[in-house]
Amino acid sequence: MLHTELASHLRTAFDDDRDADTFLLRLERYGPDLVESLTQVYGDQAPALLDGLIEVMLHAFHNRPPDLRRLDEARLLRPDWLQSPDMIGYVAYTDRFAGNLQGVRGKLDYLRGLSVKYLHLMPLLKPREGENDGGYAVQDYRAVRPDLGSMDDLSALARDLRGQGISLVLDLVLNHVAREHEWAEKARAGDPRYRAYFHIYPDRTQPDAFEATLPEVFPDFAPGNFTWDDAAGENGAGGWVWTTFNTYQWDVNWSNPQVFQEFLDIILYLANRGVEVFRLDAIAFIWKRLGTDSQNQPEVHWLTRALRAATRIVAPAVAFKAEAIVAPAQLIHYLGSRVHHGKVSDMAYHNSLMVQLWSSLASRDTTLFREALQAFPPKPATATWGLYARCHDDIGWAISDEDAARAGLNGDAHRRFLSDFYSGTFPGTFARGLVFQYNPATGDRRISGMAASLAGLEAALETGDEVGISTSIARLRLLHAVVLGFGGVPLLYMGDELAMLNDYGFETEPEHAPDNRWVHRPQMNWTLAEQARHDVNSPAGRMYAWLQKLVQARAATPHLHASVESRAVHSPDNRVLMLRRDHPLGTMLGIYNFSHEDVSFPTSALREHLGEQAEDRLSGGRLTFARPTVRLEPYRAMWLTEL
């Protein structure tokens, strides 16, 4: 229970008893989580920090717009809003999708055509000028990139989206700020308060000690994890600044309680502007510990839990999505395990699913896919996955040696095979991708490329191979059928709905040329989008029509509510992936042929899960399993539910 004296004191901060009751009831509900989490991280400093946080929360609560307060109440009544089968996400760069924020407001009809309910606009808060890591070097969290519009434009877009039932999703970079950020500028000017916001060392003693166990994120163009700055040290002397990602991105010091308060203030400010989901960027890196890789430390989860509890008190409509591209054993902690179960992020990326999709497509074998999924710990029923075939980032072959061994593979050899295959050097490959960040020390080669180019469409169009064109579209359709049939929030990456290809024009833009990830960050082709809606025989039209069909089938299939897990089950044919979902309405079985061949699949494997007959939610047909086999065409997908 909330302490009576504290409740009485806080009540004086309200003019309206109903507001006071709302705030105090939420504080009573989430306050213990907040206090416990702060105490775990900050110890004796927690009480003073809590006093400051209460002031921040009260200010944001009083300034929360009425329509967002109503949304808060609606979400409290429907806490599973992110888990619904009709939840479809779309991910785009604002400028590349529609020029600016006003332009996005003019494209809502297009988003409605795909039944989008979740719009993630890639980094749009004001970055540093020049090179800025694709917008992730933020100079001002309270301003929009000038060419995209203003903060008022962002609020107006959020209102329009809300009116259409679409939630606005924004990136919040937690690990670092731009060197030009106000905090860093004040630190360089000698202000001791702001120097304490960063990790700054007078010589290489501590940096070298940390470097002994730290990996390099961008070995090609940002080797090492520390950068010398002539003005960062005490009394105007120089210092070594922790810069995990790039020399111009200064890691902030989350062991300083004031940093926590600053970021909570930022979150609540943006929430009051209409942001409904925060993608917590680089969250795995925010706590540093000597002798480790300074990723996935226990304090990360206490800090996330504290941020979530404080945000729930002011803006319970808001959800957190963890951008943690880590091993499955670590990933589950970002959704909450043990004491954090259901109390940290509401959503996390299922990066492994994307990796396994492309792995199975290249090998035409799903054994590794099945082994990797079976090794995943179960997620909390209240959390959900963010699922995608492709995203704005490269594909890193995050395949563990243990999973590979269980599948009868050598992990290193398979990762090398995938890099060869998708960079176009493996004999007989259909893919057109680019190697990103080759690390000679580890042999690591990540891959850039649009889904359609990786799936073979680019090569087939160049040769006019009609069979190849149809086959590549079939591959893309299969990948998206798995994503939409897995359970979670499917995230459609801009252009994939039109089977758009690699954009090699990035090489002529000086700010993009060093980073080949821009090959899969094209300008939206609105002419192609218009054609796709009318010419269903073109590659774009076939892909667009298939996605619409998938979205409609998904919305009509309650078995895909994200509280239910997809489980990989044994398949009698390794070319075919089988995913089972046990819903109160009955079993659902996803069947996915990852090969270019017809497969005669034994119906006994289907009867084992579904009984004697089932409905295919994708074709609308009914299947009776009286015959010994059922034919699965190349890259065929079925969503079977028992009758």
Side-chain angles (χ1 to χ4, degrees), residues 261-275:
Q261 183 166 321
E262 293 273 19
F263 272 97
L264 177 62
D265 198 23
I266 290 167
I267 289 171
L268 297 180
Y269 170 80
L270 293 171
N272 281 355
R273 286 292 193 168
V275 179

Side-chain angles (χ1 to χ4, degrees), residues 210-327:
F210 277 109
E211 287 281 23
T213 54
L214 292 178
E216 293 178 318
V217 176
F218 295 136
D220 278 5
F221 50 72
N225 289 273
F226 296 86
T227 300
W228 176 260
D229 188 280
D230 288 335
E234 291 187 60
N235 302 318
W240 289 95
V241 183
W242 200 314
T243 55
T244 297
F245 288 85
N246 286 287
T247 58
Y248 51 79
Q249 290 167 299
W250 286 23
D251 288 32
V252 293
N253 180 13
W254 280 86
S255 68
N256 181 345
Q258 290 305 306
V259 167
F260 182 95
Q261 183 166 321
E262 293 273 19
F263 272 97
L264 177 62
D265 198 23
I266 290 167
I267 289 171
L268 297 180
Y269 170 80
L270 293 171
N272 281 355
R273 286 292 193 168
V275 179
E276 295 182 31
V277 181
F278 287 94
R279 175 186 178 272
L280 304 180
D281 181 75
I283 188 172
F285 295 83
I286 66 175
W287 195 267
K288 320 301 187 185
R289 177 165 282 115
L290 189 64
T292 74
D293 61 2
S294 291
Q295 296 181 40
N296 309 308
Q297 298 302 302
E299 289 84 356
V300 170
H301 309 300
W302 287 111
L303 288 166
T304 309
R305 181 171 167 180
L307 286 172
R308 181 181 184 269
T311 303
R312 283 287 199 272
I313 293 167
V314 177
V318 168
F320 285 172
K321 174 174 61 175
E323 189 266 335
I325 309 303
V326 297

Side-chain angles (χ1 to χ4, degrees), residues 88 114 476-477 480-481 484 492 496-499 541-553:
I88 300 293
L114 288 168
L476 289 172
R477 288 164 55 136
H480 285 86
L484 271 77
L492 307 179
D496 283 351
E497 75 276 19
L498 304 173
R542 279 185 269 177
M543 193 63 209
Y544 185 84
W546 174 250
L547 271 172
Q548 283 189 313
K549 179 178 181 177
L550 284 176
V551 168
Q552 291 165 6

